[in-house]
């Protein structure tokens, strides 16, 4: 994922770009955005930029082997954890068991999808997907090894508010003192649902939404509609960018 492909205000991207340029990459970060904003896409673009072997001043090169692997969500040093469910075939579930589905939905949606869309995609039915203690155990196991190709282990935890208490408590020490060069990004849509001890161990990045004019420009550019139609869509979807783009495509 390139920064240029992620629809967030440029000043947010600049903050992340400058952390690499200054060599001040915080090992545990919390990306906070309202539902519908491409916070997950931003996290992927940030990791890709750090790992890129030929970055420009403002973005990844997009063509080096590292960028190509990130594009396909297949980089060996990228570890993603997300809500999942136990099934008849998977009694002790974890994110790895659903990784093929994860890669598919990210590639098909450019990493813009809701929790409900994800739950439907994995056929959760009446089950409530969570990030369970098996996920955190798997995360800790992955961090015991050295990164294969990059300088960092890149860990993205999507919707950490879906962690149960056991998972959150098990994660705390790693957030405070990760082994080796590790970047952990928690991508959240609900600050209030996070336990305070997790929040206190992370560096917060609030991904502010666009102004009406900027939001409408993004919608118009992404779906090819006129500005007035884009403004109408913005209001109808309550400035949920993922929904606005989906609505615009169907106009």
């Amino acid at each position: 994922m390139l920064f240029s492909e992620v629809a967030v205000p440029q000043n947010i991207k600049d903050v992340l770009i400058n952390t690499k340029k200054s060599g001040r990459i915080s090992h545990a970060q919390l990306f906070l955005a309202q539902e519908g904003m491409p916070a997950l896409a931003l996290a992927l673009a940030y990791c890709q930029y750090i790992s890129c072997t030929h970055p420009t001043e403002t973005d990844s090169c997009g063509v080096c082997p590292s960028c190509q692997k990130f594009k396909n969500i297949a980089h060996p040093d990228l570890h993603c954890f997300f809500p999942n469910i136990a099934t008849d075939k998977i009694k002790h579930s974890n994110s790895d068991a659903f990784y093929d589905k994860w890669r598919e939905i990210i590639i098909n949606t450019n990493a813009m999808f809701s929790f409900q869309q994800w739950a439907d995609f994995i056929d959760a039915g009446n089950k409530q997907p969570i990030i369970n203690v098996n996920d955190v155990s798997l995360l800790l196991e992955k961090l015991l090894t050295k990164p294969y190709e990059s300088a960092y282990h890149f860990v993205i935890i999507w919707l950490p508010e879906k962690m149960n208490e056991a998972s959150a408590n098990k994660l705390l020490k790693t957030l405070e003192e990760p082994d080796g060069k590790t970047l952990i990004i928690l991508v959240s849509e609900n600050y209030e649902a996070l336990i305070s001890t997790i929040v206190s161990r992370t560096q917060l990045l609030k991904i502010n939404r666009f102004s009406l004019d900027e939001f409408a420009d993004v919608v118009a550019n992404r779906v090819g509609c006129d500005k007035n139609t884009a403004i109408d869509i913005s209001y109808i979807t309550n400035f949920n960018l993922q929904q606005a783009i989906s609505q615009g495509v169907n106009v």
Side-chain angles (χ1 to χ4, degrees):
M1 190 75 64
L2 297 170
F3 278 128
S4 61
E5 298 172 321
V6 184
V8 299
Q10 184 60 45
N11 66 302
I12 299 295
K13 299 177 188 178
D14 290 342
V15 167
L16 297 176
I17 289 167
N18 287 334
T19 64
K20 177 176 180 176
K21 291 179 178 179
S22 66
R24 296 179 179 177
I25 299 172
S26 177
H27 69 267
Q29 303 186 34
L30 172 60
F31 286 16
L32 179 64
Q34 69 175 41
E35 183 180 357
M37 286 295 284
L40 174 60
L42 182 65
L44 289 165
Y46 182 38
C47 294
Q48 178 172 315
Y49 183 66
I50 293 171
S51 184
C52 177
T53 55
H54 298 94
T56 68
E57 286 294 303
T58 58
D59 216 335
S60 310
C61 72
V63 296
C64 71
S66 176
C67 285
Q68 288 298 302
K69 290 172 185 176
F70 268 98
K71 179 181 179 180
N72 293 308
I73 319 299
H75 197 288
D77 299 317
L78 173 65
H79 316 293
C80 297
F81 297 89
F82 41 83
N84 57 84
I85 55 170
T87 68
D88 291 339
K89 293 182 179 179
I90 308 170
K91 299 298 184 183
H92 303 288
S93 67
N94 60 42
S95 296
D96 269 11
F98 292 88
Y99 213 82
D100 287 343
K101 285 279 193 180
W102 178 252
R103 290 181 65 247
E104 184 178 350
I105 197 170
I106 287 179
I107 292 169
N108 289 345
T109 66
N110 291 320
M112 287 187 67
F113 53 92
S114 67
F115 171 72
Q116 188 58 53
Q117 286 174 309
W118 170 244
D120 292 341
F121 194 62
I122 61 173
D123 299 319
N126 294 325
K127 296 178 180 178
Q128 182 71 5
I130 64 168
I131 299 173
N132 60 52
V133 72
N134 297 330
D135 283 299
V136 182
S137 296
L138 180 62
L139 187 162
L140 299 178
E141 181 182 323
K142 290 178 182 290
L143 296 186
L144 288 176
T145 62
K146 292 182 179 180
Y148 288 97
E149 297 177 7
S150 298
Y152 285 83
H153 278 298
F154 299 100
V155 177
I156 296 177
I157 303 177
W158 183 60
L159 303 185
E161 55 267 33
K162 300 296 182 181
M163 282 192 289
N164 57 25
E165 185 176 356
S167 305
N169 289 332
K170 192 176 181 68
L171 181 63
L172 287 177
K173 189 175 188 306
T174 298
L175 283 178
E176 191 168 13
E177 298 176 0
D179 293 328
K181 270 201 162 183
T182 300
L183 170 58
I184 301 175
I185 304 175
L186 283 67
V187 179
S188 175
E189 296 173 353
N190 189 347
Y191 186 85
E192 289 74 20
L194 295 170
I195 64 173
S196 60
T197 46
I198 280 187
V199 173
S200 67
R201 286 166 170 78
T202 59
Q203 179 174 298
L204 176 63
L205 178 71
K206 290 185 178 180
I207 303 169
N208 300 322
R209 71 183 188 182
F210 294 104
S211 67
L212 170 59
D213 190 60
E214 293 169 328
F215 191 95
D217 280 339
V218 172
V219 175
N221 290 334
R222 290 294 176 99
V223 304
C225 64
D226 63 76
K227 183 71 171 281
N228 288 334
T229 299
I231 290 174
D232 290 341
I233 292 170
S234 302
Y235 282 121
I236 290 170
T237 58
N238 195 28
F239 295 89
N240 181 310
L241 187 58
Q242 184 262 324
Q243 289 182 10
I245 292 173
S246 177
Q247 177 103 6
V249 168
N250 295 318
V251 168

